[in-house]
Amino acid sequence: VICGAMGGGAAAPDGAMGGVSAEAVLSQLPALLAALPAEWRGTTFDNSDLLGRERFAARLAALLERHASPSAATGDASQQQKPLDAAALVALGNAEDYLRVSSNVSTALELALGLQRGLGVRAVLSFASRAMPVAAAALAVRKPITLHVAEGELA
């Protein structure tokens, strides 16, 4: 995972992204995984509604936050919101990043990691490769970058 000063990616100092509570979003990750749509598995997906990582992450964060507090959606604590389901996730649209073949799943991971560290999703990139993080950062960013890797990983 790369976390660094990539410009415009910093979240509010309290770790929230656009008023979104990190705790609320993170508490919903098990529900997100349980409801993971078939369309989100793999790297081939419907590209009719490509939002980009930031817009997708904002929509996902808002959805997860609504589901973290059931009365928030209706304003009535006596009414229960329906559980997070695949249809609600599919309705979000799709993230895209052709360099990394980014998916909704990787963007959800990057959202969670960013919220934990007080960073916006723009400042967090995840890779399933050991070499691509360095190559992608060199191609995409014209500013100094901090590369965080586990000790001994680049050896």
Side-chain angles (χ1 to χ4, degrees):
V1 175
I2 297 176
C3 298
M6 295 176 67
D14 64 355
M17 182 184 89
V20 173
S21 161
E23 288 143 10
V25 170
L26 296 173
S27 74
Q28 291 301 301
L29 291 181
L32 182 148
L33 293 173
L36 200 68
E39 294 90 344
W40 286 27
R41 300 170 194 268
T43 58
T44 302
F45 51 85
D46 174 17
N47 64 0
S48 63
D49 189 13
L50 297 178
L51 302 170
R53 293 171 59 243
E54 292 176 70
R55 281 185 51 214
F56 174 81
R59 285 185 179 185
L60 177 60
L63 176 68
L64 295 178
E65 188 167 49
R66 281 193 308 273
H67 280 273
S69 57
S71 63
T74 63
D76 182 357
S78 66
Q79 291 188 1
Q80 283 287 61
Q81 183 174 358
K82 72 177 193 168
L84 186 63
D85 62 13
L89 294 170
V90 169
L92 292 173
N94 291 299
E96 58 87 20
D97 178 341
Y98 288 112
L99 178 63
R100 299 181 305 121
V101 191
S102 177
S103 68
N104 294 351
V105 174
S106 62
T107 303
L109 170 64
E110 292 156 359
L111 170 65
L113 292 172
L115 286 170
Q116 287 178 323
R117 290 163 179 78
L119 297 170
V121 73
R122 186 172 180 204
V124 181
L125 303 170
S126 61
F127 294 87
S129 161
R130 290 178 184 235
M132 278 309 294
V134 177
L139 291 170
V141 180
R142 299 187 193 288
K143 297 180 179 184
I145 295 173
T146 303
L147 179 61
H148 298 274
V149 295
E151 196 170 317
E153 287 291 316
L154 292 178

